[in-house]
mmCIF file of all heavy atoms in Angstrom:
data_model
loop_
_atom_site.group_PDB
_atom_site.id
_atom_site.type_symbol
_atom_site.label_atom_id
_atom_site.label_comp_id
_atom_site.label_asym_id
_atom_site.label_seq_id
_atom_site.Cartn_x
_atom_site.Cartn_y
_atom_site.Cartn_z
ATOM 1 N N ALA A 60 -147.177 29.486 64.876
ATOM 2 C CA ALA A 60 -146.621 29.449 63.523
ATOM 3 C C ALA A 60 -147.710 29.433 62.455
ATOM 4 O O ALA A 60 -147.505 29.942 61.346
ATOM 5 C CB ALA A 60 -145.702 28.243 63.353
ATOM 6 N N TYR A 61 -148.849 28.837 62.745
ATOM 7 C CA TYR A 61 -149.904 28.728 61.741
ATOM 8 C C TYR A 61 -150.384 30.091 61.248
ATOM 9 O O TYR A 61 -150.441 30.309 60.034
ATOM 10 C CB TYR A 61 -151.080 27.881 62.278
ATOM 11 C CG TYR A 61 -152.099 27.575 61.247
ATOM 12 C CD1 TYR A 61 -151.870 26.596 60.295
ATOM 13 C CD2 TYR A 61 -153.277 28.281 61.173
ATOM 14 C CE1 TYR A 61 -152.783 26.325 59.316
ATOM 15 C CE2 TYR A 61 -154.216 28.039 60.200
ATOM 16 C CZ TYR A 61 -153.959 27.052 59.288
ATOM 17 O OH TYR A 61 -154.867 26.796 58.314
ATOM 18 N N PRO A 62 -150.719 31.026 62.126
ATOM 19 C CA PRO A 62 -151.110 32.345 61.602
ATOM 20 C C PRO A 62 -150.015 33.044 60.827
ATOM 21 O O PRO A 62 -150.278 33.792 59.889
ATOM 22 C CB PRO A 62 -151.464 33.148 62.854
ATOM 23 C CG PRO A 62 -151.739 32.129 63.894
ATOM 24 C CD PRO A 62 -150.899 30.951 63.564
ATOM 25 N N LEU A 63 -148.750 32.793 61.188
ATOM 26 C CA LEU A 63 -147.645 33.408 60.454
ATOM 27 C C LEU A 63 -147.532 32.873 59.035
ATOM 28 O O LEU A 63 -146.951 33.519 58.171
ATOM 29 C CB LEU A 63 -146.341 33.209 61.204
ATOM 30 C CG LEU A 63 -146.225 33.947 62.545
ATOM 31 C CD1 LEU A 63 -144.939 33.557 63.242
ATOM 32 C CD2 LEU A 63 -146.314 35.445 62.346
ATOM 33 N N ASN A 64 -148.072 31.692 58.783
ATOM 34 C CA ASN A 64 -148.094 31.141 57.421
ATOM 35 C C ASN A 64 -149.334 31.561 56.664
ATOM 36 O O ASN A 64 -149.299 31.750 55.457
ATOM 37 C CB ASN A 64 -148.010 29.604 57.464
ATOM 38 C CG ASN A 64 -146.631 29.145 57.853
ATOM 39 O OD1 ASN A 64 -145.644 29.596 57.296
ATOM 40 N ND2 ASN A 64 -146.566 28.258 58.827
ATOM 41 N N VAL A 65 -150.466 31.690 57.355
ATOM 42 C CA VAL A 65 -151.715 32.044 56.704
ATOM 43 C C VAL A 65 -151.705 33.521 56.276
ATOM 44 O O VAL A 65 -152.218 33.856 55.191
ATOM 45 C CB VAL A 65 -152.911 31.738 57.621
ATOM 46 C CG1 VAL A 65 -154.190 32.329 57.063
ATOM 47 C CG2 VAL A 65 -153.085 30.242 57.783
ATOM 48 N N PHE A 66 -151.126 34.401 57.100
ATOM 49 C CA PHE A 66 -151.178 35.835 56.798
ATOM 50 C C PHE A 66 -150.566 36.171 55.433
ATOM 51 O O PHE A 66 -151.230 36.820 54.617
ATOM 52 C CB PHE A 66 -150.500 36.628 57.898
ATOM 53 C CG PHE A 66 -150.497 38.107 57.654
ATOM 54 C CD1 PHE A 66 -151.651 38.833 57.746
ATOM 55 C CD2 PHE A 66 -149.333 38.730 57.274
ATOM 56 C CE1 PHE A 66 -151.662 40.194 57.483
ATOM 57 C CE2 PHE A 66 -149.328 40.101 57.004
ATOM 58 C CZ PHE A 66 -150.500 40.821 57.108
ATOM 59 N N PRO A 67 -149.319 35.751 55.125
ATOM 60 C CA PRO A 67 -148.794 36.117 53.789
ATOM 61 C C PRO A 67 -149.537 35.443 52.658
ATOM 62 O O PRO A 67 -149.693 36.020 51.579
ATOM 63 C CB PRO A 67 -147.343 35.650 53.828
ATOM 64 C CG PRO A 67 -147.186 34.845 55.045
ATOM 65 C CD PRO A 67 -148.318 35.097 55.943
ATOM 66 N N ALA A 68 -150.065 34.239 52.879
ATOM 67 C CA ALA A 68 -150.846 33.589 51.842
ATOM 68 C C ALA A 68 -152.129 34.355 51.572
ATOM 69 O O ALA A 68 -152.520 34.568 50.438
ATOM 70 C CB ALA A 68 -151.158 32.143 52.237
ATOM 71 N N ARG A 69 -152.791 34.825 52.614
ATOM 72 C CA ARG A 69 -154.027 35.584 52.464
ATOM 73 C C ARG A 69 -153.744 36.920 51.753
ATOM 74 O O ARG A 69 -154.493 37.312 50.848
ATOM 75 C CB ARG A 69 -154.656 35.850 53.842
ATOM 76 C CG ARG A 69 -155.945 36.651 53.741
ATOM 77 C CD ARG A 69 -156.532 36.944 55.099
ATOM 78 N NE ARG A 69 -155.570 37.693 55.907
ATOM 79 C CZ ARG A 69 -155.380 37.497 57.186
ATOM 80 N NH1 ARG A 69 -156.054 36.582 57.834
ATOM 81 N NH2 ARG A 69 -154.489 38.210 57.837
ATOM 82 N N VAL A 70 -152.704 37.601 52.128
ATOM 83 C CA VAL A 70 -152.365 38.871 51.485
ATOM 84 C C VAL A 70 -152.061 38.663 50.021
ATOM 85 O O VAL A 70 -152.500 39.433 49.160
ATOM 86 C CB VAL A 70 -151.195 39.553 52.228
ATOM 87 C CG1 VAL A 70 -150.659 40.716 51.437
ATOM 88 C CG2 VAL A 70 -151.600 39.997 53.604
ATOM 89 N N THR A 71 -151.357 37.598 49.696
ATOM 90 C CA THR A 71 -151.028 37.298 48.306
ATOM 91 C C THR A 71 -152.270 37.015 47.481
ATOM 92 O O THR A 71 -152.453 37.527 46.368
ATOM 93 C CB THR A 71 -150.050 36.117 48.225
ATOM 94 O OG1 THR A 71 -148.898 36.433 48.970
ATOM 95 C CG2 THR A 71 -149.671 35.808 46.795
ATOM 96 N N VAL A 72 -153.175 36.180 48.022
ATOM 97 C CA VAL A 72 -154.393 35.858 47.317
ATOM 98 C C VAL A 72 -155.257 37.106 47.127
ATOM 99 O O VAL A 72 -155.801 37.345 46.023
ATOM 100 C CB VAL A 72 -155.176 34.736 48.018
ATOM 101 C CG1 VAL A 72 -156.562 34.560 47.434
ATOM 102 C CG2 VAL A 72 -154.414 33.433 47.963
ATOM 103 N N LEU A 73 -155.390 37.890 48.151
ATOM 104 C CA LEU A 73 -156.194 39.126 48.051
ATOM 105 C C LEU A 73 -155.578 40.106 47.026
ATOM 106 O O LEU A 73 -156.292 40.775 46.279
ATOM 107 C CB LEU A 73 -156.331 39.788 49.395
ATOM 108 C CG LEU A 73 -157.305 39.117 50.379
ATOM 109 C CD1 LEU A 73 -157.230 39.772 51.734
ATOM 110 C CD2 LEU A 73 -158.715 39.153 49.843
ATOM 111 N N ALA A 74 -154.251 40.194 47.017
ATOM 112 C CA ALA A 74 -153.581 41.075 46.049
ATOM 113 C C ALA A 74 -153.787 40.585 44.621
ATOM 114 O O ALA A 74 -153.899 41.397 43.687
ATOM 115 C CB ALA A 74 -152.103 41.209 46.376
ATOM 116 N N MET A 75 -153.851 39.273 44.439
ATOM 117 C CA MET A 75 -154.079 38.739 43.088
ATOM 118 C C MET A 75 -155.522 38.948 42.665
ATOM 119 O O MET A 75 -155.809 39.183 41.493
ATOM 120 C CB MET A 75 -153.735 37.253 43.033
ATOM 121 C CG MET A 75 -152.263 36.969 43.085
ATOM 122 S SD MET A 75 -151.836 35.260 42.783
ATOM 123 C CE MET A 75 -152.873 34.360 43.875
ATOM 124 N N LEU A 76 -156.459 38.882 43.620
ATOM 125 C CA LEU A 76 -157.871 39.051 43.279
ATOM 126 C C LEU A 76 -158.257 40.503 43.041
ATOM 127 O O LEU A 76 -159.082 40.785 42.177
ATOM 128 C CB LEU A 76 -158.737 38.462 44.404
ATOM 129 C CG LEU A 76 -158.674 36.942 44.560
ATOM 130 C CD1 LEU A 76 -159.521 36.526 45.771
ATOM 131 C CD2 LEU A 76 -159.152 36.237 43.309
ATOM 132 N N ARG A 77 -157.698 41.424 43.813
ATOM 133 C CA ARG A 77 -158.069 42.820 43.717
ATOM 134 C C ARG A 77 -156.814 43.712 43.731
ATOM 135 O O ARG A 77 -156.620 44.466 44.692
ATOM 136 C CB ARG A 77 -158.996 43.197 44.887
ATOM 137 C CG ARG A 77 -160.252 42.410 44.916
ATOM 138 C CD ARG A 77 -161.250 42.971 45.880
ATOM 139 N NE ARG A 77 -161.611 44.308 45.446
ATOM 140 C CZ ARG A 77 -161.720 45.335 46.271
ATOM 141 N NH1 ARG A 77 -161.515 45.197 47.542
ATOM 142 N NH2 ARG A 77 -162.061 46.534 45.820
ATOM 143 N N PRO A 78 -155.985 43.659 42.709
ATOM 144 C CA PRO A 78 -154.788 44.508 42.734
ATOM 145 C C PRO A 78 -155.143 45.978 42.474
ATOM 146 O O PRO A 78 -156.124 46.281 41.797
ATOM 147 C CB PRO A 78 -153.941 43.952 41.605
ATOM 148 C CG PRO A 78 -154.946 43.367 40.653
ATOM 149 C CD PRO A 78 -156.080 42.858 41.508
ATOM 150 N N ASP A 79 -154.313 46.865 43.032
ATOM 151 C CA ASP A 79 -154.461 48.273 42.688
ATOM 152 C C ASP A 79 -153.540 48.567 41.491
ATOM 153 O O ASP A 79 -153.085 47.635 40.825
ATOM 154 C CB ASP A 79 -154.153 49.149 43.895
ATOM 155 C CG ASP A 79 -152.730 49.011 44.378
ATOM 156 O OD1 ASP A 79 -151.926 48.305 43.730
ATOM 157 O OD2 ASP A 79 -152.383 49.628 45.407
ATOM 158 N N ASP A 80 -153.254 49.800 41.260
ATOM 159 C CA ASP A 80 -152.443 50.171 40.096
ATOM 160 C C ASP A 80 -151.009 49.634 40.194
ATOM 161 O O ASP A 80 -150.343 49.491 39.186
ATOM 162 C CB ASP A 80 -152.408 51.694 39.939
ATOM 163 C CG ASP A 80 -153.774 52.236 39.564
ATOM 164 O OD1 ASP A 80 -154.567 51.468 38.994
ATOM 165 O OD2 ASP A 80 -154.030 53.417 39.856
ATOM 166 N N HIS A 81 -150.522 49.377 41.385
ATOM 167 C CA HIS A 81 -149.144 48.936 41.579
ATOM 168 C C HIS A 81 -149.059 47.435 41.797
ATOM 169 O O HIS A 81 -148.004 46.929 42.093
ATOM 170 C CB HIS A 81 -148.540 49.666 42.780
ATOM 171 C CG HIS A 81 -148.605 51.140 42.644
ATOM 172 N ND1 HIS A 81 -147.888 51.847 41.704
ATOM 173 C CD2 HIS A 81 -149.357 52.064 43.320
ATOM 174 C CE1 HIS A 81 -148.175 53.133 41.813
ATOM 175 N NE2 HIS A 81 -149.050 53.291 42.776
ATOM 176 N N GLY A 82 -150.178 46.695 41.705
ATOM 177 C CA GLY A 82 -150.156 45.255 41.879
ATOM 178 C C GLY A 82 -150.144 44.816 43.327
ATOM 179 O O GLY A 82 -149.921 43.662 43.630
ATOM 180 N N SER A 83 -150.351 45.755 44.251
ATOM 181 C CA SER A 83 -150.357 45.378 45.666
ATOM 182 C C SER A 83 -151.789 45.396 46.215
ATOM 183 O O SER A 83 -152.734 45.686 45.486
ATOM 184 C CB SER A 83 -149.471 46.325 46.477
ATOM 185 O OG SER A 83 -149.982 47.650 46.347
ATOM 186 N N LEU A 84 -151.933 45.056 47.459
ATOM 187 C CA LEU A 84 -153.243 44.932 48.085
ATOM 188 C C LEU A 84 -153.849 46.309 48.314
ATOM 189 O O LEU A 84 -153.225 47.179 48.921
ATOM 190 C CB LEU A 84 -153.112 44.205 49.430
ATOM 191 C CG LEU A 84 -154.387 43.910 50.188
ATOM 192 C CD1 LEU A 84 -155.270 42.941 49.376
ATOM 193 C CD2 LEU A 84 -154.078 43.290 51.521
ATOM 194 N N PRO A 85 -155.053 46.556 47.807
ATOM 195 C CA PRO A 85 -155.669 47.872 48.051
ATOM 196 C C PRO A 85 -156.076 47.999 49.516
ATOM 197 O O PRO A 85 -156.307 47.007 50.199
ATOM 198 C CB PRO A 85 -156.907 47.853 47.119
ATOM 199 C CG PRO A 85 -157.187 46.431 46.855
ATOM 200 C CD PRO A 85 -155.877 45.693 46.958
ATOM 201 N N GLU A 86 -156.121 49.229 49.962
ATOM 202 C CA GLU A 86 -156.443 49.482 51.361
ATOM 203 C C GLU A 86 -157.909 49.201 51.692
ATOM 204 O O GLU A 86 -158.255 48.900 52.811
ATOM 205 C CB GLU A 86 -156.122 50.946 51.700
ATOM 206 C CG GLU A 86 -154.668 51.269 51.611
ATOM 207 C CD GLU A 86 -153.823 50.525 52.639
ATOM 208 O OE1 GLU A 86 -154.317 50.285 53.760
ATOM 209 O OE2 GLU A 86 -152.700 50.143 52.313
ATOM 210 N N SER A 87 -158.760 49.261 50.684
ATOM 211 C CA SER A 87 -160.217 49.138 50.948
ATOM 212 C C SER A 87 -160.722 47.734 50.604
ATOM 213 O O SER A 87 -161.703 47.593 49.864
ATOM 214 C CB SER A 87 -160.969 50.190 50.147
ATOM 215 O OG SER A 87 -160.770 49.961 48.768
ATOM 216 N N THR A 88 -160.072 46.700 51.079
ATOM 217 C CA THR A 88 -160.534 45.337 50.822
ATOM 218 C C THR A 88 -161.781 45.082 51.671
ATOM 219 O O THR A 88 -161.753 45.279 52.888
ATOM 220 C CB THR A 88 -159.435 44.326 51.193
ATOM 221 O OG1 THR A 88 -158.286 44.604 50.431
ATOM 222 C CG2 THR A 88 -159.906 42.907 50.932
ATOM 223 N N PRO A 89 -162.868 44.654 51.034
ATOM 224 C CA PRO A 89 -164.088 44.381 51.820
ATOM 225 C C PRO A 89 -163.846 43.264 52.824
ATOM 226 O O PRO A 89 -163.102 42.312 52.577
ATOM 227 C CB PRO A 89 -165.102 43.967 50.770
ATOM 228 C CG PRO A 89 -164.561 44.460 49.480
ATOM 229 C CD PRO A 89 -163.071 44.496 49.620
ATOM 230 N N ILE A 90 -164.489 43.380 53.983
ATOM 231 C CA ILE A 90 -164.324 42.384 55.036
ATOM 232 C C ILE A 90 -164.770 41.002 54.575
ATOM 233 O O ILE A 90 -164.224 39.991 55.011
ATOM 234 C CB ILE A 90 -165.016 42.837 56.332
ATOM 235 C CG1 ILE A 90 -164.590 41.958 57.535
ATOM 236 C CG2 ILE A 90 -166.518 42.803 56.176
ATOM 237 C CD1 ILE A 90 -163.213 42.207 57.977
ATOM 238 N N ALA A 91 -165.766 40.966 53.692
ATOM 239 C CA ALA A 91 -166.270 39.666 53.215
ATOM 240 C C ALA A 91 -165.182 38.932 52.424
ATOM 241 O O ALA A 91 -165.019 37.720 52.539
ATOM 242 C CB ALA A 91 -167.507 39.871 52.353
ATOM 243 N N HIS A 92 -164.396 39.668 51.611
ATOM 244 C CA HIS A 92 -163.282 39.057 50.874
ATOM 245 C C HIS A 92 -162.205 38.580 51.832
ATOM 246 O O HIS A 92 -161.671 37.475 51.659
ATOM 247 C CB HIS A 92 -162.690 40.043 49.869
ATOM 248 C CG HIS A 92 -163.576 40.335 48.704
ATOM 249 N ND1 HIS A 92 -163.361 41.397 47.890
ATOM 250 C CD2 HIS A 92 -164.687 39.712 48.236
ATOM 251 C CE1 HIS A 92 -164.311 41.410 46.954
ATOM 252 N NE2 HIS A 92 -165.118 40.405 47.163
ATOM 253 N N HIS A 93 -161.904 39.406 52.801
ATOM 254 C CA HIS A 93 -160.878 39.065 53.777
ATOM 255 C C HIS A 93 -161.239 37.776 54.545
ATOM 256 O O HIS A 93 -160.439 36.847 54.637
ATOM 257 C CB HIS A 93 -160.718 40.243 54.757
ATOM 258 C CG HIS A 93 -159.658 40.068 55.780
ATOM 259 N ND1 HIS A 93 -158.346 40.334 55.510
ATOM 260 C CD2 HIS A 93 -159.737 39.646 57.071
ATOM 261 C CE1 HIS A 93 -157.632 40.087 56.608
ATOM 262 N NE2 HIS A 93 -158.454 39.685 57.562
ATOM 263 N N VAL A 94 -162.477 37.728 55.028
ATOM 264 C CA VAL A 94 -162.942 36.556 55.788
ATOM 265 C C VAL A 94 -163.067 35.348 54.862
ATOM 266 O O VAL A 94 -162.694 34.217 55.229
ATOM 267 C CB VAL A 94 -164.270 36.865 56.509
ATOM 268 C CG1 VAL A 94 -164.883 35.641 57.107
ATOM 269 C CG2 VAL A 94 -164.062 37.932 57.576
ATOM 270 N N GLY A 95 -163.565 35.540 53.666
ATOM 271 C CA GLY A 95 -163.748 34.433 52.723
ATOM 272 C C GLY A 95 -162.432 33.776 52.353
ATOM 273 O O GLY A 95 -162.323 32.538 52.344
ATOM 274 N N VAL A 96 -161.424 34.581 52.031
ATOM 275 C CA VAL A 96 -160.113 34.033 51.682
ATOM 276 C C VAL A 96 -159.475 33.337 52.882
ATOM 277 O O VAL A 96 -158.882 32.258 52.745
ATOM 278 C CB VAL A 96 -159.209 35.148 51.117
ATOM 279 C CG1 VAL A 96 -157.770 34.671 50.995
ATOM 280 C CG2 VAL A 96 -159.723 35.612 49.770
ATOM 281 N N THR A 97 -159.625 33.932 54.061
ATOM 282 C CA THR A 97 -159.067 33.306 55.254
ATOM 283 C C THR A 97 -159.713 31.949 55.537
ATOM 284 O O THR A 97 -159.043 30.965 55.817
ATOM 285 C CB THR A 97 -159.250 34.227 56.467
ATOM 286 O OG1 THR A 97 -158.631 35.484 56.216
ATOM 287 C CG2 THR A 97 -158.641 33.630 57.722
ATOM 288 N N LEU A 98 -161.057 31.899 55.417
ATOM 289 C CA LEU A 98 -161.744 30.633 55.627
ATOM 290 C C LEU A 98 -161.353 29.589 54.578
ATOM 291 O O LEU A 98 -161.191 28.415 54.884
ATOM 292 C CB LEU A 98 -163.256 30.842 55.627
ATOM 293 C CG LEU A 98 -163.821 31.488 56.885
ATOM 294 C CD1 LEU A 98 -165.322 31.761 56.723
ATOM 295 C CD2 LEU A 98 -163.598 30.616 58.104
ATOM 296 N N ALA A 99 -161.215 30.026 53.334
ATOM 297 C CA ALA A 99 -160.837 29.097 52.265
ATOM 298 C C ALA A 99 -159.436 28.531 52.523
ATOM 299 O O ALA A 99 -159.222 27.330 52.384
ATOM 300 C CB ALA A 99 -160.903 29.795 50.906
ATOM 301 N N LEU A 100 -158.485 29.385 52.882
ATOM 302 C CA LEU A 100 -157.120 28.919 53.131
ATOM 303 C C LEU A 100 -157.049 27.967 54.325
ATOM 304 O O LEU A 100 -156.415 26.910 54.258
ATOM 305 C CB LEU A 100 -156.194 30.114 53.358
ATOM 306 C CG LEU A 100 -155.823 30.910 52.136
ATOM 307 C CD1 LEU A 100 -155.077 32.163 52.536
ATOM 308 C CD2 LEU A 100 -154.987 30.076 51.194
ATOM 309 N N THR A 101 -157.724 28.320 55.402
ATOM 310 C CA THR A 101 -157.677 27.462 56.574
ATOM 311 C C THR A 101 -158.439 26.155 56.338
ATOM 312 O O THR A 101 -158.046 25.095 56.827
ATOM 313 C CB THR A 101 -158.214 28.168 57.834
ATOM 314 O OG1 THR A 101 -159.525 28.675 57.559
ATOM 315 C CG2 THR A 101 -157.297 29.289 58.254
ATOM 316 N N SER A 102 -159.536 26.217 55.607
ATOM 317 C CA SER A 102 -160.309 24.990 55.291
ATOM 318 C C SER A 102 -159.485 24.070 54.398
ATOM 319 O O SER A 102 -159.481 22.867 54.586
ATOM 320 C CB SER A 102 -161.635 25.333 54.611
ATOM 321 O OG SER A 102 -162.419 26.115 55.455
#
Side-chain angles (χ1 to χ4, degrees):
Y61 188 77
L63 292 175
N64 287 311
V65 170
F66 179 73
R69 180 183 58 219
V70 169
T71 302
V72 170
L73 287 172
M75 287 188 310
L76 293 176
R77 300 192 62 224
D79 63 5
D80 293 336
H81 305 291
S83 59
L84 184 64
E86 295 295 326
S87 62
T88 301
I90 192 72
H92 289 164
H93 183 82
V94 171
V96 168
T97 303
L98 285 175
L100 286 171
T101 54
S102 298

